[in-house]
Amino acid sequence: MSAGLRVCLAWIAGAALGVVVDGVLDEAIGLGLAAVAIGVIWPRRVVALVVVAAAATAYGAGARIAMVRPVPVELLGAEPQLVTGVLLSDAALSRGGVRVELLIQGRRARITVGGGLGPSASQAWTRGRTLRAPVRLRLPDVVRNPGSPGVEWQRLTQPFELLGTIKSAALVEVAPAPWPEELAARVRQHVRRSAERFVGPHAATSQAVVTAILIGDRAGLDEALVRRLQAAGTFHVIAISGGNVAMLTMACLLGFRLVTRSQTMPLVSTMVVVAAYGGVVGDEASVTRAVFAALCYLGLRLRGVPPKPVNLLAVVAAVCVVWSPLTVLDVGAWLSFGATFGLIVILPRLVDHVRRHAASRRGWRMVWDWLVVACLATVAAELLIMPVSAHVFGRVTVAGLLLNLVAIPAMGVVQLADMTVCVLALVSEPAAAAAAWLAHHATTVLLGSSAALDLAPWLSWRVPASSLVWTGAYYAALILAVVCTRPATRRAAVVLAASLLTVIVTSPFVTLRRPPGGWLRVSILDVGQGEAVLVQTPSRHALLVDSGGTPGGSFDVGGRVTTPAVWALGERGIDWLVLTHGDLDHIGGARRVVEDLSPREVWEGIPVDADPTLRELRSLAQQRAIAWRRLHAGHELELGAVQIAVRHPQPPDWQRVRVRNDDSLVLEVRYGDVSVLLTGDAGLEYESRPLAVDRTGAPPRIRILKVAHHGSRSSTSEQFLDRYRPHAAIISAGASNLFGHPAPDILARLSARDIRVFRTDQHGAVILETDGRSVRLRSISGRVMDVS
């Protein structure tokens, strides 16, 4: 290992330590000073590495402190604040309005601009320009559920430190950017217009894909298409990154060498083009890493120094960490560097092994070699990144091992064809149209490759996150298999790595986290400003009441929050999914829950046939042969000693045209002497009715209330509380939500009756466990209450 490689690795390791571990700044400084002081005893190389690692640790600790520093109070509040910020990217249309990303007082903020003027006005909101507007800012939500990362880790890994809203584009003032940014914005606008003019007539999907591949603008991509490509393992080809930059670099080198015999001009010209491309596309971390790597490679070639791949990768990683220490927490960086390391280190060994043991096919030698190397390249990359994908994203796909043979070449054709379209659009429209035809058909091939999942859906699956112990042991075994020279030890390491990888991608120990025998568990999950409740019975059945969701947002609450929490509580799937009513904060994550947890039945109350989200869910249930049932007051389900009874709504006597809170399903879960009332968003229409009793007529001795409508004033009346007389109340609400939930009046009403209150916005997920005689309530934050 060269000295430079050791220094790079010491810097990366030190920065990672400083960022990940809290409170190591003073220790790092002390260690560095001590190493310098006793340098006369230690070898100079050791002292140098210790000093580098200590400096990197201090640097990383400083970045951590800056990231978690408190937000100035004047930026937050119920009323909009007049702020000025620099646009970090071009404005993009979203379901909730126009989305802009701003740098406000050194903090990254994602702002949604509402109103009908946004789409037209957003054409002027390009990267580098300065926006001034009244913005209502808040902190991003963090969730505290079983199995979720800690609060500080979520703060460190969130792409934005602030979220906000602007009521109307009419309130926004914009100032021009420096001329390089203005020029780059014009180039991006030309790319979008060329794609719309020449590729758009073939298919809107093709237009969105070519724009995403060329300049990283994914605003036009359909969410269903994104999910499909992620499942197929080919989404990376349309997420602009190293592959795009590598394709551009190779095309430029070949093109310039065709027009000049000079050895240096192609390299210099390619460096200029790649740097300009990076400036046009933007400052996304993946693009910056790829452009810097390409420039380093070309620069070394220019100086006549043959670049060593491992050393070049280490230098690029170290410089990225110098530029931003938080790179060590960037999952995209893990995947990029991991896949590249696999191609550099593992691929040659796999190819040598296959060529030694595979029979030669003389007539097809060139084609056979290309297929072998291409397949093994994907295998080598997946061996490094599959555990990360399984742990972070909860998905494993082996379809990409073959589909990338089609998707990656198709991506190259799309990129080069669309570049040609953009150039020819300035000089020859017929030629541009011909190139657009090629780009469209290459896009069709790229997207069509994912159809393999229709024939073999088992090639991709969702998986609960395994313990980091398994992941660490896997990488240790993989390293041993690579570096060990003894055949017997290497074979043992390969077998061990394969066994550990099997555990990671199947997660066989999930069900060990279920409640103990004879116990009922009801978990009110922390899904922000929404609701999701998991009921686990002693008979090993699971019922999920609502799924959480984000109205108008693109964040996948179902797949990123609700499903992982259900897994962490010990359930691979659920038996029933209950949709209390059609509000998005209750069912916005239901589609992903259905796909991930495969319920046997879906329950709803009063149907609203005109609601598009409910229509989509009914269609999905029909496709998957999931029973869809409509329930109302009087329906009951007995699961051993547990009784689940529907208390509301009454059978409808008129057709609903919109979703109503008062139509919410209300469920009572009864186990022995314990009653848990799950009220959805039900209001006075339910609360004014007499409380139902079970068939024995005996009231439950211990009563727990899930407060309706997130603690809104429209529910939880005094009369209802006096009749039900709960021992404890649980409120599901988002921190700093825009609705002011829970209302102070409701909190005062509960306090006046000496009802203990648990809140997901303050305490995280709340877990109730009972044996039918006593109850223990505990929150993720550590609050505990026993009722007996």
Side-chain angles (χ1 to χ4, degrees):
M1 185 183 295
S2 66
L5 183 58
R6 291 193 188 98
V7 170
C8 290
L9 295 178
W11 179 267
I12 295 169
L17 179 66
V19 171
V20 173
V21 181
D22 188 20
V24 296
L25 179 59
D26 294 338
E27 289 81 355
I29 296 174
L31 177 61
L33 295 176
V36 173
I38 62 175
V40 294
I41 302 175
W42 287 359
R44 290 185 178 180
R45 290 182 179 179
V46 176
V47 172
L49 290 178
V50 172
V51 170
V52 168
T57 302
Y59 186 54
R64 176 192 176 96
I65 293 171
M67 188 66 181
V68 299
R69 69 194 189 279
V71 176
V73 177
E74 60 269 16
L75 286 180
L76 305 175
E79 298 300 324
Q81 306 294 319
L82 187 63
V83 300
T84 301
V86 177
L87 282 161
L88 298 172
S89 61
D90 295 348
L93 298 180
S94 66
R95 287 190 301 175
V98 176
R99 187 181 68 242
V100 295
E101 299 170 1
L102 295 174
L103 188 66
I104 302 173
Q105 297 184 16
R107 300 173 187 272
R108 298 175 69 94
R110 171 171 284 178
I111 312 296
T112 301
V113 183
L117 300 177
S120 58
S122 65
Q123 299 297 320
W125 302 342
T126 57
R127 192 185 73 218
R129 290 186 172 181
T130 301
L131 258 61
R132 188 168 183 267
V135 185
R136 185 176 181 182
L137 294 169
R138 65 179 180 87
L139 296 174
D141 290 334
V142 294
V143 297
R144 291 167 291 178
N145 285 314
S148 66
V151 172
E152 279 208 355
W153 183 271
Q154 293 182 60
R155 293 289 188 202
L156 288 169
T157 54
Q158 283 175 335
F160 301 97
E161 297 173 73
L162 295 167
L163 296 177
T165 56
I166 300 174
K167 286 187 176 181
S168 171
L171 303 174
V172 178
E173 301 174 10
V174 60
W179 72 265
E181 291 284 11
E182 291 289 345
L183 180 60
R186 292 184 181 181
V187 174
R188 292 193 299 275
Q189 190 61 29
H190 173 68
V191 171
R192 295 187 184 98
R193 288 174 178 170
S194 299
E196 180 181 7
R197 182 177 180 184
F198 295 101
V199 182
H202 294 284
T205 301
S206 297
Q207 175 189 335
V209 170
V210 299
T211 306
I213 289 176
L214 200 54
I215 60 173
D217 182 358
R218 297 191 290 272
L221 295 175
D222 180 70
E223 291 182 14
L225 173 63
V226 170
R227 290 196 300 268
R228 184 175 180 84
L229 293 178
Q230 289 173 338
T234 55
F235 178 72
H236 64 94
V237 302
I238 66 171
I240 186 169
S241 59
N244 306 74
V245 176
M247 190 71 64
L248 175 64
T249 302
M250 290 188 294
C252 289
L253 284 174
L254 291 174
F256 288 129
R257 283 176 178 170
L258 292 176
V259 298
T260 179
R261 295 183 178 180
S262 170
Q263 295 296 316
T264 60
M265 282 304 297
L267 294 171
V268 173
S269 302
T270 301
M271 291 178 71
V272 172
V273 172
V274 170
Y277 179 72
V280 168
V281 171
D283 61 349
E284 285 191 21
S286 59
V287 178
T288 303
R289 289 192 298 267
V291 168
F292 180 72
L295 293 178
C296 286
Y297 170 80
L298 295 169
L300 290 172
R301 290 282 304 276
L302 188 62
R303 295 194 60 184
V305 179
K308 295 182 178 180
V310 173
N311 292 351
L312 179 59
L313 182 66
V315 168
V316 172
V319 171
C320 288
V321 174
V322 170
W323 182 260
S324 173
L326 295 179
T327 300
V328 299
L329 301 181
D330 184 357
V331 177
W334 300 351
L335 298 177
S336 296
F337 288 116
T340 306
F341 185 81
L343 296 177
I344 293 172
V345 176
I346 297 180
L347 177 60
R349 290 169 170 78
L350 293 177
V351 172
D352 289 343
H353 178 79
V354 170
R355 284 178 175 170
R356 284 198 307 268
H357 296 85
S360 174
R361 299 172 181 264
R362 294 182 179 179
W364 292 85
R365 183 61 183 268
M366 184 176 296
V367 176
W368 176 254
D369 280 356
W370 180 86
L371 288 173
V372 167
V373 172
C375 289
L376 292 180
T378 306
V379 171
E382 287 293 337
L383 287 175
L384 268 294
I385 67 175
M386 187 175 288
V388 176
S389 298
H391 186 85
V392 176
F393 302 114
R395 178 170 292 283
V396 174
T397 177
V398 296
L401 298 178
L402 295 177
L403 297 185
N404 279 313
L405 298 179
V406 176
I408 293 177
M411 180 273 290
V413 174
V414 172
Q415 181 177 0
L416 297 178
D418 197 41
M419 287 180 175
T420 305
V421 169
C422 295
V423 174
L424 294 179
L426 302 173
V427 293
S428 173
E429 291 190 4
W437 178 88
L438 178 60
H440 162 66
H441 284 81
T443 302
T444 303
V445 172
L446 189 160
L447 301 180
S449 64
S450 64
L453 289 180
D454 296 333
L455 301 176
W458 45 267
L459 290 174
S460 177
W461 63 93
R462 293 271 280 161
V463 61
S466 296
S467 169
L468 289 176
V469 173
W470 297 112
T471 304
Y474 166 77
Y475 283 117
L478 189 63
I479 292 172
L480 182 62
V482 170
V483 302
C484 187
T485 57
R486 296 179 58 185
T489 305
R490 176 178 293 178
R491 284 193 294 270
V494 168
V495 172
L496 177 60
S499 302
L500 291 169
L501 185 60
T502 302
V503 171
I504 292 170
V505 301
T506 59
S507 195
F509 308 118
V510 170
T511 55
L512 297 179
R513 307 167 190 162
R514 284 173 170 168
W519 285 74
L520 169 74
R521 179 191 289 163
V522 179
S523 304
I524 291 78
L525 305 180
D526 181 5
V527 292
Q529 183 60 21
E531 192 165 298
V533 181
L534 178 67
V535 179
Q536 298 168 275
T537 71
S539 58
R540 301 305 189 193
H541 291 92
L543 176 144
L544 182 66
V545 182
D546 289 331
S547 60
T550 307
S554 58
F555 180 72
D556 179 14
V557 172
R560 299 291 297 277
V561 178
T562 308
T563 293
V566 172
W567 285 336
L569 288 164
E571 300 296 341
R572 279 191 170 274
I574 56 176
D575 297 286
W576 302 279
L577 173 62
V578 181
L579 310 177
T580 59
H581 64 301
D583 281 352
L584 285 177
D585 59 334
H586 288 251
I587 69 167
R591 181 182 181 89
R592 283 302 298 268
V593 165
V594 169
E595 293 172 347
D596 295 339
L597 301 178
S598 303
R600 293 191 290 112
E601 295 181 0
V602 177
W603 298 353
E604 73 167 345
I606 297 178
V608 184
D609 296 331
D611 185 81
T613 305
L614 290 171
R615 280 205 312 268
E616 180 184 355
L617 290 174
R618 278 193 292 269
S619 175
L620 179 63
Q622 185 176 11
Q623 294 171 15
R624 292 176 168 260
I626 297 172
W628 187 281
R629 303 193 184 281
R630 291 174 176 170
L631 307 182
H632 52 77
H635 283 103
E636 293 183 357
L637 174 67
E638 289 191 0
L639 301 170
V642 175
Q643 181 188 50
I644 299 175
V646 180
R647 302 305 187 194
H648 186 75
Q650 300 299 316
D653 52 9
W654 53 281
Q655 180 69 35
R656 306 296 198 261
V657 295
R658 62 180 179 83
V659 174
R660 299 170 68 241
N661 288 337
D662 273 323
D663 288 337
S664 288
L665 272 171
V666 175
L667 302 181
E668 183 180 13
V669 182
R670 182 79 178 267
Y671 183 38
D673 294 332
V674 178
S675 166
V676 182
L677 194 62
L678 306 176
T679 53
D681 277 358
L684 296 180
E685 188 172 314
Y686 160 68
E687 295 181 354
S688 61
R689 296 180 179 274
L691 290 176
V693 296
D694 67 2
R695 63 189 60 178
T696 66
R701 183 170 56 84
I702 300 175
R703 297 167 299 280
I704 308 297
L705 172 67
K706 197 289 301 175
V707 173
H709 200 186
H710 321 288
S712 165
R713 290 187 179 90
S714 63
S715 306
T716 322
S717 64
E718 294 187 2
Q719 294 80 4
F720 173 74
L721 290 176
D722 291 337
R723 288 201 306 272
Y724 188 63
R725 293 182 292 112
H727 293 81
I730 306 169
I731 301 174
S732 178
S736 304
N737 64 82
L738 301 178
F739 308 99
H741 295 159
D745 296 352
I746 301 302
L747 295 176
R749 197 172 293 167
L750 295 168
S751 177
R753 289 161 176 78
D754 198 26
I755 300 171
R756 296 282 296 277
V757 176
F758 285 75
R759 297 169 51 174
T760 60
D761 59 333
Q762 293 184 349
H763 308 122
V766 181
I767 299 173
L768 178 156
E769 291 180 320
T770 176
D771 59 357
R773 298 181 298 274
S774 62
V775 170
R776 164 160 283 202
L777 283 162
R778 57 185 175 90
S779 70
I780 294 298
S781 63
R783 189 180 184 194
V784 177
M785 174 186 175
D786 292 311
V787 184
S788 58

